Amino acid sequence: MPSRRTVLAATAGVTAALAIGTTAEAGTPGDKKLRSLVSRMTLEEKVGQLFVMRVYGHSATDPDQADIDANLQEIGVRTAAELIARYHVGGIIYFTWAHNTKDPHQIADLSNGIQRASLTRPRGLPVLITTDQEHGIVCRVGRPATLFPGAMAMGAGGSREDARTLGRISGAELRAMGINQDYSPDADVNINPANPVIGVRSFGADPDAVAGLVAAEVAGYQSSSVAAAAKHFPGHGDTAVDSHYGFPVITHSRELWEKLDAVPFRAAVRAGIDSIMTAHIQFPALDGSGDPATLSHPILTGILREELGYDGVVVTDSLGMQGVRTKYGDDRVPVLALKAGVDQLLNPPDLATAWNAVLKAVQDGELTESRLDESILRILRLKARLRLFDAPYVSRNGVDRTVGTAEHLAAADRIAERTTTLLVNEAGLLPLSRRTHRKVLVVGADPASPSGTTGPPTGVLATALTELGFAATALSTGTAPSAATIATAVAAARDADAVVVGTYNVTAGSSQRTLVEQLAATGKPVVALAVRNPYDVAQLPSASAHLASYSWTDVELRAAVRVIAGRAAPRGRLPVAVQQADDPAKVLYPIGYGLSY
C-alpha cells in the first residue's frame, strides 16, 4: 500500500491545479475548476479520457509474464501503467479472466497502482475503475467478498429495502478495493423467456416492479460512493439474440417502449443515476436508420438526453461485441458513438485503432474539440462526485474492515432466503423431514460456477443438506445427461429416500426432462430446483415439488436448501410469468405466484 507521503506526492499536482475554492463538498472541485482542468489538457489526453479499457494482470506495474504477453499482443503495452502513459485512458475495467480480481488485497493493490500511475503523470487525473458486479450469474469479484442473489432473485423477493441494502454493502466492498464504478443494475424488462443474454440478469417482467428495484439499488450503490450504471438503454429485455454474437432487433412500438422498456430508465434518472450503459440493439420504432442504439443520435441524444432529461455519463456496452460491429468498422464505431451522444467508449477490440480514429476525427473536423470537452466534463464531474480527486487510494485495513465481513455475509443470507420461490408442492412434500427422508440423492446440471463461488451446484446442495442433518450425496448428471448417466442416477435413487434435481434451462427436447421422469418413476419423491431460468417448471410435471433459485451461486443454493429443509419459509414470488410448455399463449404461473408453508 502507498504511504501517506507517496499519496500526497502523487496527488499534489492535481490538488494544486484545482486550487479548490467553492465546492459541493470538502475536497471536491466545482465546475469552474473542472472546466479549467479540461482547458489545460492536450488533445491526446482528452481522447484518452473517453476510453475505459481492459488490461491483463494482477499488478499495475509487475504482472505475470503471460499477462505481459497478452497485453503486448492485444494492446501493444506491457502493463496498466504503460497503458495509462501511452493512451491517457480515463477508466480501466476489471475482469476475472484478465487476472484482475484474484483476492481483495490484490485488487486493492492493483487499484492503488493504477491510480498512482495516472496521478504521478503531468496533469494526471484519477481513474474510474469499473467492473460488472451484478451479482447472481455475472460477478467479477468473488469470495471472500460478499455475493448476493442476482437481479431476478431480488425481483422474486420484491423488497426495495433489500435491493438498497445489496447496493450499499456491495458498493462499500467494491469501494474498499478501489473499484468506484459498477456496471449494475440491469434495468431491462425481461418479457422474453427465450432471451439468451439478459434473462435472470433482469429484475423481472413488470416494468414498475423493475423500476422500483433499479432505483433502490442505485441509491444503495451511490450511498457508498460507487457510481451505478443502469443498462442496457433503451432496453434489451425482449430479444432472442445475444448482442455479444449477433445484432438483435427490438420490434416494440414507440408506445410499448414508453409503457415497458422506458419505465426503469426513467426511474434511474429520477434516482440520480451516475451512468447509463447503451445497448447494441436495433430499435426501428426509435430510430429507423438500422444503426445500433449505441450509435444512434435520435436514441441517445434525442430520447435519453433531451426527452428523459439525463445529463450524466453515457457509456457504451463493450465495443468488442458483435452487435455494434456488424454495420461499421472498428475505426468508425467510436467516432459514431461520440457523435450519437456517448461519453465513454468501453473496451474496444483494438484500442490503437479506436483511439487514433477519434484523434483523427477531431483533427479532420468531423468531431469538434468542444464536443469532446462536453463528455470529459461529465466524466470529471463524476470523478469529483466520487471523491476521487481527494480520496483516490484505498488501504488494506479498509479491505479487512469491509470486505466479506460476517455482518455482510449474514445480510446476504437473509436476503437470499426471501427470494427462493416454491411453485409446486404435491401432498405437502416440503419441507423435507430428516425423519422420513434422511437419505437424499442430489443430481442434476453442474454449469460452470459464476465467478468466485465454490461449486459445483450439486456439491454445494449436498453439502448444505448434510450440514442440516441429512445424509446427502452428489451425482453430477450435466445439462444433457446421456442414457447411461440417467440409468446411473436412477440406480442411485433406489437407495435414497428423496431426490433433489438441479435443473438448468430445460427445453422440450432436453434429456433433463427424461432424467426427472425416470427418477419420478422409481416412486421416490423428486424435488426439482431450477438453478437458472424459472421456466423449467413448465417442462417437468413429474416432479413432486419444484422451486426456483434464479442462479447457482452459493448464497442462493444454500438458501434454497434451508427452504427445502424447513429452516426458512419460501417467500419468493415469480417476477416473470411462466407459460404452458405446450401452449405458450397460456400462462401456467402468473407474475406474483408462489407457495409457502
Side-chain angles (χ1 to χ4, degrees), residues 263-274:
V263 176
F265 289 102
R266 290 186 186 277
V269 172
R270 286 194 301 270
I273 185 81
D274 278 328

Side-chain angles (χ1 to χ4, degrees), residues 31-364:
D31 239 35
K32 183 178 179 181
K33 301 300 180 183
L34 295 177
R35 290 179 189 277
S36 176
L37 196 59
V38 174
S39 72
R40 291 196 293 275
M41 295 170 68
T42 67
L43 177 57
E44 290 77 9
E45 288 168 345
K46 290 180 178 181
V47 171
Q49 197 64 204
L50 304 173
F51 283 91
V52 180
M53 189 60 185
R54 69 190 179 278
V55 64
Y56 290 86
H58 70 282
S59 163
T61 56
D62 188 27
D64 295 338
Q65 187 61 48
D67 292 323
I68 291 174
D69 295 341
N71 286 329
L72 286 170
Q73 180 177 351
E74 294 187 19
I75 315 172
V77 299
R78 294 165 49 84
T79 66
E82 288 184 15
L83 170 66
I84 291 166
R86 180 175 301 183
Y87 291 105
H88 318 287
V89 295
I92 287 180
I93 180 171
Y94 287 173
F95 290 106
T96 310
W97 50 259
H99 309 139
N100 304 139
T101 59
K102 293 182 178 180
D103 65 73
H105 283 159
Q106 170 269 317
I107 296 169
D109 287 342
L110 174 60
S111 300
N112 283 338
I114 287 169
Q115 298 293 5
R116 191 181 309 111
S118 184
L119 289 166
T120 51
R121 297 194 57 75
R123 297 175 302 281
L125 295 168
V127 178
L128 279 171
I129 297 177
T130 77
T131 199
D132 293 283
Q133 192 79 350
E134 296 179 16
H135 295 279
I137 70 170
V138 176
C139 258
R140 311 304 186 202
V141 180
R143 299 169 70 245
T146 305
L147 298 177
F148 285 89
M152 192 170 284
M154 297 300 292
S159 168
R160 296 181 183 184
E161 184 56 39
D162 283 351
R164 190 176 295 107
T165 298
L166 181 158
R168 176 180 57 79
I169 291 176
S170 179
E173 295 197 6
L174 291 174
R175 184 65 190 235
M177 293 179 278
I179 297 170
N180 45 58
Q181 184 176 24
D182 186 12
Y183 295 138
S184 187
D186 192 304
D188 300 311
V189 181
N190 197 85
I191 61 169
N192 187 340
N195 194 324
V197 64
I198 305 301
V200 294
R201 296 169 62 194
S202 162
F203 287 111
D206 180 325
D208 292 324
V210 172
L213 293 168
V214 165
E217 195 169 299
V218 167
Y221 273 110
Q222 295 184 181
S223 72
S224 292
S225 294
V226 167
K231 59 189 186 186
H232 307 79
F233 190 82
H236 207 318
D238 187 13
T239 172
V241 175
D242 185 340
S243 52
H244 289 84
Y245 309 108
F247 188 16
V249 179
I250 306 293
T251 58
H252 294 182
S253 66
R254 173 65 192 247
E255 181 182 25
L256 181 57
W257 178 81
E258 291 280 3
K259 293 179 179 178
L260 189 78
D261 308 281
V263 176
F265 289 102
R266 290 186 186 277
V269 172
R270 286 194 301 270
I273 185 81
D274 278 328
S275 51
I276 290 178
M277 179 180 283
T278 68
H280 303 325
I281 57 173
Q282 189 181 156
F283 211 128
L286 306 184
D287 179 357
S289 69
D291 285 348
T294 297
L295 310 182
S296 170
H297 190 275
I299 292 175
L300 298 186
T301 297
I303 296 177
L304 180 56
R305 296 281 191 210
E306 296 171 1
E307 293 184 24
L308 271 61
Y310 178 67
D311 193 39
V313 171
V314 174
V315 57
T316 71
D317 205 343
S318 170
L319 297 183
M321 294 166 60
Q322 191 59 37
V324 79
R325 303 173 74 190
T326 299
K327 191 173 179 183
Y328 301 100
D330 291 338
D331 58 336
R332 294 300 299 155
V333 165
V335 175
L336 295 173
L338 291 169
K339 292 176 77 170
V342 158
D343 301 306
Q344 287 183 305
L345 303 161
L346 176 62
N347 202 27
D350 186 319
L351 179 58
T353 296
W355 192 92
N356 284 305
V358 174
L359 183 68
K360 185 174 186 299
V362 178
Q363 292 169 338
D364 292 350

Side-chain angles (χ1 to χ4, degrees), residues 481-511:
S482 65
T485 298
I486 292 172
T488 300
V490 167
R494 294 193 179 100
D495 192 40
D497 300 318
V499 183
V500 173
V501 186
T503 67
Y504 184 93
N505 296 1
V506 181
T507 61
S510 171
S511 57

